[in-house]
Amino acid sequence: MNVTLFVPCFVDALFPRVGISMVQILERLGHRVECPEEIACCGQPGFNSGCWQESRDVAVKVLDRLKDAEHVVVASGSCGAMLKVFYPELFGKTDRASAAQSLSKRVWEFSDFLVSKLGVTDLGARFPAKVTFHDGCHGLRELGIKRPPRALLEKVRDLQLIEMKDAETCCGFGGMFATKFPMISTAMGEVKCASALDTQADYIVSNDSSCLMHVQGLLTRQGKPIKTIHLAEILSQT
Amino acid sequence: MTEREKILGRIREALTLSAPMPGKHHSPAAHSSVNGHAVASASDWLPLVGEAFESQITTFRTCSTELKTDFQLFDSHEHLTSKLQEISRAESWQQIASHGGNLALPAAESLGLPILRTDSPYDVVALEKCDVGITECDALVAQTGSVLVTSRSAGGRALSVLPPHHVVIARREQLLADLPSAFALLQKKYASNYPSFISFITGPSRTGDIERILVLGAHGPKKLTVLCF
Amino acid sequence: MSAASQFKEEAHEITRDLRHRQLIQTALGKYEIKRDEKKAAFQDWQAARQAAAETKWDAINHLDTYLQEFATKLEARGTKVHWASTAPQARDIILNIIREKKARTIVKSKAMTAEEIHLNDALEKSGFEVVESDLGEFIVQLRHEPPYHIVFPAMHLTRGDISELFARELGSAPTDSPEELTMIARRALRNKYVTADVGITGANFAIAETGMISITENEGNARLTAALPKTMISLLGIEKVLPKMEDLALFLPMLATAGAGQTITGYNSLYGGPRQPGESDGPDEFHVVLLDNRRTELLADAEQRDALHCIRCGACLNVCPIFRNVGGHTYGTTYSGPIGSVITPHLRGLQDWKHLSSASSLCGACTEACPVKIDLHHHLLHNRRNSATEKPNRLEKLGLKLFAFVVNHPAFYSLAKKMGRLMQPLHALVKGTRIDPAYGWTQSRDLPTMPRQSFKDWWRTRP
C-alpha cells in the first residue's frame, strides 16, 4: 500500500535515525513510502501557545499536502495527535473543517499503524537488552495507544521488557512548558527517571522522540547510566 | 429585582448557547429534556451483588470487616439481646441512650441500665456522656456495608453519632442488595413526607487526615456494631 | 507581585524540596492502590462515568429549572433559601443570620465554598469565634493557612509537624501516634459542638427532586454540626444540583472511589430542612445560601460549561504530575490542581490566572481520572487560546510567525538547520549559563547534538 510518512521538524533535524528506521521497516514490509519534503511542522507550537491563527498558518500546508494521501503515518505520537485530534478542532469553524475531519481518519501513529492497521507484530528484529517503555501522553491519551508498542517489543529477539512504576505518568516535557516552567518540568522528569532507573533497564524506549529528548537531556546532565532509544530504532535492528 | 431573579436571569441568558454533550466535545449538542436521564441502570455499573440472601449477607460481612464494623448475625432476638448484654459488661456501660422502637428499646431495657431516650426532646450534654447509642435503622446495604438511618428510624440526628459506640439492631429482612434499592426504599417509604435527616452510615467514624493513616473515632463513634437477627 | 510571578517563584522553591516530593508521592501512592482496587470492583466504571457525566450535563444545562425546584421544595419545609450573586453578599447573609441569633461560637465543617468567600476571616473580623471541625481543616486553621488539597487539607504535614503544632497551640504532650493526635483534636472539639450556637456546613450535592442537601464526610463532624447547634447554615455553589435523589446511588460511590479510594465515604447524609414536627432534635432554623460568584460566567462559556459538572472529588489533583510536584499552596487559589487551573481564570480573571493554564504539560491524566468526564486538559488549551486572543503576547506571536515562515519554506528551513549545526560549537561556550538563549532548557538538561545529516537530507540523497 502507499504510505505517506510525515517526519516532523524535530525528528528530521535531531533524530533522523527514527525516520530512517521507519522508512526501512515499512519498505521491508513491501509498502511504497513517500516523505513529502514541503511540510516540516504540524503547527503544534502555535496551537499549544494559544495562537491558533499562527498554528493554522503552518497546519494548513500540512492539510493541503496530505489531502490525497491514502495512509498518513506520523513519526511522533504527539504530532500524530495534533493531526488526528486537534486539526478538527483547529479548523472547526473554517472552510477546511471537512478536510481536517477527512485527514483525521487517515492518520496513524507508527506503532499503531503496524499493529492495528497492518496486523504485524514480529518484524524479525533482534535487540539484546533490558528495556522499559515510557508511554508518551499524546499517544496514550489522545490516541489511546497502549498495547501496540508493547506487542511489537514483545516480539523482539533477546529483548526483555520490564514495566516501570507509573509508566503512564508524564515525563514533564510538554513542549514549550519545558522551557516556560523548567523547574516543574525538571522535577517531573526526575520522578520519571527514578521510576525507570528502578527497573535496572539498559534503555528507556518510547514512541515519542520529544519525551526522549527531555529524558535523555536530564540523564546526560545528571550522569545516569540508562540510555534512551525510539521504538522504531529497535524494530529496525536485525 | 431580587438576587434570586438576577441569578436565574443570568443562568437563562447563559443557557441560550447549548453545550456539547459529554464525551462528544467536538460535536454539536444533542438536546435532552429535563429529567430525561436514566440512572435506573446504576445497578449494572456499580459493584456486583448477588441476588440470594446468603450472598448478600456475605458481601455485607466482607464490607464490614474491611470497614472495621462489628457485624453479627443471630437466629433470634433473644440471642441478640444476650450478645448486647455481653458487650455491655465487657465495656462496662453505665449510661445508655436509645429510642422507642420495637427492636431497640426492648434490647436496651434488657441491660438494666438507665436509658436516655432521644425520641422526644432530650439533654444533649447528657447524651454526650452516654457510653452507647442503640438504634434501629431503615436498611442495611450489602453493596457498601452501609446502615441506612433517618431521624425517624434512629431516634433523631445525634443518637447515632454523638456517643462513642453506635449499636444498630436490624432484622435480616432489612438487608438490601445495593444503593439503588436503598433509594427506592426511601422513596417508597417516605416520598410524601421525608424525614429531615437521612444518612448512610458506613463504618465507624474515621479519618486519614494525618499522613493518610486510618484512625477510627475522629469525631463520631469509635465503634460501630451491627446486630442482625 | 503578580500571581504569575509568585507561582513561578514558589514552584521554583518547592520543586527542589525533596522532602515535600517524597511526602506527597507516599501519601498519594497509598491512595492509588485503594482507588485502583475500588474502581476494579465496579462492573463498568466507564459506563458509570458516562452516565454521571450525562446526569450532570442535564443538571447544569437546565440549571434554572432545577435550582427553582430545589429552593421551592426546601422552602416548603421551613428552610430559608438565600441567593448570593457575589462573595460579599454571601458573607453578609451569613453574618446577618449570626448577628440576629446573637451567636458567639460557630462550629464549621469543611466547605470549599467558605474558603472561596474567605468566610472565616470575615467571621473573625466581626468578633465571632469559628472552629473548623474536620481534622485536616482544624490543623490548617491552627497554622493559619488555607487547605493544601480540597479533600486532604493537611496532606503536606507529617505527624511530627502536627504534634509540634498541637503542643504549641493546644498544650498537648508531643506524640508520634496519628491516633493520639486525632484524639487530642477530638477532645478539643467535643465541647465546641455541644456549646456552639451556629453550625456552618457546605454541601456536596443539592437534590432538586426532594429539596435536600447531601453532605459527604468520614469523620462525623458535619453530622454533629448539623445535629447540635440551634441554627444551621449551608453554603453551596449553584452548580451542586442533581436532578433526583436516586442519582446519589451513582454519585456517592463515584465520588468516594475517584476521590479517596473508598467504596463509599463514611457518612453520606441528606438534610431536607430544620427539625420537623415530631422530630426530637436538629436545628430550629436551617438556612441554605446559594452562591453564584461568577459561576454563571463559566456557564455562559458553552465550550467549558462542563467544568461546572465538577463534584470536587480531588481525583484530578491526585493524578496531576504538576500538582504532585508543586503542591496545593503554590497555586495561590481556592481550587488547585487541574480543575483549579481551568476554573480560576473564569472565577477570578483570565489575565491574572492564565499562567496556571500554561503551567501544564497537557498530559491528560486529569481528564482520564475525572469521574464526570470534564475535558480538563483541553480546557487548559482553550484558556490559552482565549487569553492569546484577548491579549496577545506580541513577542511570542512574532516568534511563532517567524517559525511559521521558516517551516513553510523548505529553503529557509534547510538553512535554519544548517545554521543550527554551525551554532552548536558556539553554543557549547554559553551552555547552561544565564546568557544562554536556551537557558530555559539547558539550566537542567543537555540538548541533543544535531547530526550532520537530517532525515530529509538522507531521503533526498538515498539511492
Side-chain angles (χ1 to χ4, degrees), chain C residues 110-144:
Chain C
K110 191 170 162 20
M112 290 310 295
T113 34
E115 298 290 333
E116 182 184 328
I117 67 165
H118 303 291
L119 182 62
N120 286 2
D121 280 353
L123 292 171
E124 279 160 13
K125 278 196 190 108
S126 303
F128 299 106
E129 186 199 357
V130 50
V131 187
E132 288 289 351
S133 57
D134 171 89
L135 177 60
E137 292 281 344
F138 177 70
I139 292 167
V140 294
Q141 188 189 26
L142 287 179
R143 285 171 61 93
H144 307 286

Side-chain angles (χ1 to χ4, degrees), chain C residues 107-392:
Chain C
V107 66
K108 196 160 151 284
S109 72
K110 191 170 162 20
M112 290 310 295
T113 34
E115 298 290 333
E116 182 184 328
I117 67 165
H118 303 291
L119 182 62
N120 286 2
D121 280 353
L123 292 171
E124 279 160 13
K125 278 196 190 108
S126 303
F128 299 106
E129 186 199 357
V130 50
V131 187
E132 288 289 351
S133 57
D134 171 89
L135 177 60
E137 292 281 344
F138 177 70
I139 292 167
V140 294
Q141 188 189 26
L142 287 179
R143 285 171 61 93
H144 307 286
E145 60 181 27
Y148 178 90
H149 180 292
I150 60 177
V151 178
F152 316 128
M155 80 182 288
H156 59 307
L157 302 172
T158 63
R159 60 188 87 181
D161 300 331
I162 296 163
S163 170
E164 266 175 45
L165 175 75
F166 283 3
R168 193 170 64 236
E169 300 290 329
L170 307 172
S172 59
T175 169
D176 66 355
S177 150
E179 177 156 16
E180 183 45 37
L181 289 167
T182 305
M183 292 311 133
I184 293 167
R186 180 184 169 108
R187 284 192 294 271
L189 282 162
R190 272 262 138 174
N191 193 40
K192 301 284 181 191
Y193 293 116
V194 179
T195 56
D197 311 293
V198 174
I200 299 179
T201 79
N204 295 83
F205 303 101
I207 309 300
E209 175 196 32
T210 56
M212 294 175 186
I213 61 161
S214 174
I215 301 181
T216 293
E217 51 150 350
N218 274 309
E219 298 180 3
N221 60 309
R223 285 192 58 196
L224 289 165
T225 305
L228 305 182
K230 290 287 166 226
T231 303
M232 172 174 170
I233 306 172
S234 299
L235 171 68
L236 49 141
I238 51 173
E239 84 286 8
K240 291 286 174 200
V241 168
L242 279 181
K244 294 183 171 189
M245 184 163 74
E246 69 187 31
D247 294 334
L248 292 173
L250 186 58
F251 279 86
L252 299 179
M254 291 195 78
L255 172 64
T257 300
Q262 291 177 278
T263 304
I264 190 172
T265 317
Y267 299 105
N268 286 286
S269 311
L270 287 149
Y271 298 94
R275 177 207 301 218
Q276 298 294 298
E279 291 182 344
S280 58
D281 59 8
D284 297 333
E285 279 185 29
F286 181 33
H287 298 264
V288 166
V289 183
L290 290 169
L291 178 70
D292 178 350
N293 205 23
R294 297 178 75 168
R295 282 164 175 76
T296 43
E297 282 187 33
L298 180 51
L299 191 73
D301 183 344
E303 187 176 46
Q304 295 192 46
R305 187 177 295 159
D306 67 342
L308 289 168
H309 295 184
C310 178
I311 57 172
R312 305 278 187 261
C313 68
C316 63
L317 283 64
N318 298 345
V319 300
C320 177
I322 317 295
F323 179 91
R324 291 169 78 126
N325 281 293
V326 305
H329 287 149
T330 305
Y331 288 80
T333 56
T334 304
Y335 305 103
S336 61
I339 186 66
S341 299
V342 169
I343 66 175
T344 307
H346 295 268
L347 303 180
R348 295 173 67 181
L350 179 57
Q351 292 310 324
D352 287 341
W353 297 96
K354 64 182 180 190
H355 59 280
L356 296 180
S357 297
S358 296
S360 166
S361 62
L362 304 171
C363 79
C366 48
T367 305
E368 188 179 58
C370 179
V372 292
K373 296 181 88 165
I374 301 170
D375 204 7
L376 288 159
H377 71 298
H378 292 158
H379 291 335
L380 297 175
L381 279 165
H382 299 144
N383 279 340
R384 293 181 191 185
R385 179 204 58 205
N386 295 348
S387 158
T389 310
E390 185 183 289
K391 197 178 165 202

Side-chain angles (χ1 to χ4, degrees), chain A residues 93-119:
Chain A
K93 285 170 190 150
T94 71
D95 53 6
R96 281 190 170 78
S98 62
Q101 291 285 355
S102 151
L103 175 63
S104 170
K105 294 189 187 78
R106 291 175 281 127
V107 166
W108 297 86
E109 181 276 329
F110 178 71
S111 69
D112 195 30
F113 184 71
L114 291 180
V115 177
S116 312
K117 177 69 186 171
L118 301 180

Side-chain angles (χ1 to χ4, degrees), chain B residues 42-51 55-56 59-60 63 142-144 177-178, chain C residues 38 40-44:
Chain B
S43 297
D44 298 342
W45 311 315
L46 295 172
L48 190 64
V49 187
E51 278 177 27
S55 110
Q56 292 179 4
T59 307
F60 190 86
C63 289
Q143 189 171 52
T144 53
D178 57 12
Chain C
K38 297 302 178 187
F42 272 66
Q43 294 172 77
D44 193 340

Side-chain angles (χ1 to χ4, degrees), chain A residues 62-173:
Chain A
V62 177
L63 200 55
D64 289 352
R65 175 61 183 79
L66 300 177
K67 175 166 87 259
D68 301 317
E70 202 180 332
H71 306 286
V72 178
V73 172
V74 186
S76 148
S78 184
C79 306
M82 184 67 198
L83 268 65
K84 200 170 178 64
V85 179
F86 296 116
Y87 275 16
E89 187 171 4
L90 183 64
F91 290 100
K93 285 170 190 150
T94 71
D95 53 6
R96 281 190 170 78
S98 62
Q101 291 285 355
S102 151
L103 175 63
S104 170
K105 294 189 187 78
R106 291 175 281 127
V107 166
W108 297 86
E109 181 276 329
F110 178 71
S111 69
D112 195 30
F113 184 71
L114 291 180
V115 177
S116 312
K117 177 69 186 171
L118 301 180
V120 184
T121 49
D122 191 347
L123 294 157
R126 182 177 169 275
F127 193 76
K130 278 194 287 188
V131 307
T132 190
F133 189 80
H134 161 66
D135 292 279
C137 299
H138 269 143
L140 177 70
R141 297 197 185 85
E142 301 297 348
L143 302 176
I145 298 165
K146 174 77 185 175
R147 189 60 205 142
R150 288 174 173 78
L152 291 161
L153 284 172
E154 280 161 12
K155 291 288 165 66
V156 175
R157 313 301 182 268
D158 304 330
L159 178 143
Q160 190 191 350
L161 174 64
I162 310 161
E163 291 287 348
M164 70 174 112
K165 186 178 166 288
D166 302 330
E168 296 185 359
T169 299
C170 180
C171 69
F173 173 64

